[in-house]
C-alpha cells in the first residue's frame, strides 16, 4: 500500500476537477466553485500554465492532490511555492498521502531553489492544523489574508487607467 506522487497530466483533468469539488464540499464551499474542466485544462495544461498539480496514488488509484504555483519573495530575492489546495479522499486519510504530497512539494521547492513553501488553512479546520504542526509548519499569526475580487476588483482595475 505505498503512496506514489506524480505530476498531473492533461488526462487527469476529471480527477483534478473531482478533487476540487470534494474539497469544496469538505470546506462547506461547494456553492463557490466556478471552475470547470475546460477552465482547468486551459490554466493547468494550456500554452501558459498558471499552476501545477501533484497527484497521490495508492494501489494505482488517485487518492489526493496538491495544486500549487510559484510566488516570489522580494525580501528573500528568490521564488517560493504557494500551495493553493491539498486534499486527500476521506477513505484514504491516515495512510500518508497528505504527508507524501507535502514532501513532494518540499522536494520541488528545494530543487527549484525556493525560499519557502506556504499555504493557508481555514481557522476551524483543527485536524488539518494539527497535521501541519506535526510536520513542523508554523502559523504566521501576524499576517492576515486580503482578497480583492468581483465588483471591487473590476472597480479598481478601471481606476487610474493610462
Amino acid at each position: 500500500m505505498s503512496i506514489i506522487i506524480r505530476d498531473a497530466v492533461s488526462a487527469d483533468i476529471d480527477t483534478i476537477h473531482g478533487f476540487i469539488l470534494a474539497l469544496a464540499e469538505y470546506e462547506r464551499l461547494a456553492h463557490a466553485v466556478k471552475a470547470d474542466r475546460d477552465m482547468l485544462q486551459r490554466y493547468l495544461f494550456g500554452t501558459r500554465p498558471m499552476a501545477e498539480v501533484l497527484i497521490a496514488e495508492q494501489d494505482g488509484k488517485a487518492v489526493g492532490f496538491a495544486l500549487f504555483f510559484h510566488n516570489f519573495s522580494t525580501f528573500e530575492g528568490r521564488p517560493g511555492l504557494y500551495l493553493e489546495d491539498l486534499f486527500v479522499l476521506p477513505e484514504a486519510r491516515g495512510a500518508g498521502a497528505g504527508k507524501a504530497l507535502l514532501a513532494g512539494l518540499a522536494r520541488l521547492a528545494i530543487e527549484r531553489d525556493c525560499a519557502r513553501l506556504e499555504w493557508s488553512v481555514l481557522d476551524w479546520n483543527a485536524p488539518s492544523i494539527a497535521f501541519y504542526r506535526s510536520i513542523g509548519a508554523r502559523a504566521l499569526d501576524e499576517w492576515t489574508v486580503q482578497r480583492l475580487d468581483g465588483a471591487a476588483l473590476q472597480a479598481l482595475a478601471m481606476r487610474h487607467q493610462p
Side-chain angles (χ1 to χ4, degrees), residues 8-9 17 29 36 41 51 54 56 61 66 82-83 87 97 106 108 115 143 149 155 159:
V9 296
H17 188 250
L29 293 169
D36 62 30
Q41 185 68 43
L54 294 179
K61 179 184 183 245
Y82 187 82
L83 173 60
F87 180 75
L108 278 177
W143 292 89
D149 61 6
R159 290 187 198 148

Side-chain angles (χ1 to χ4, degrees), residues 9 17 19 21-22 27 33 37 49 65 72 75 80-81 136 138:
V9 296
H17 188 250
F19 283 142
L21 295 175
E27 290 183 340
V33 176
R37 289 166 185 82
F65 86 126
F72 191 84
F75 288 9
L81 288 184
R138 61 186 172 86

Side-chain angles (χ1 to χ4, degrees), residues 18-31:
F19 283 142
I20 291 168
L21 295 175
L23 172 63
E25 189 70 33
Y26 173 76
E27 290 183 340
R28 304 176 206 145
L29 293 169
H31 62 280

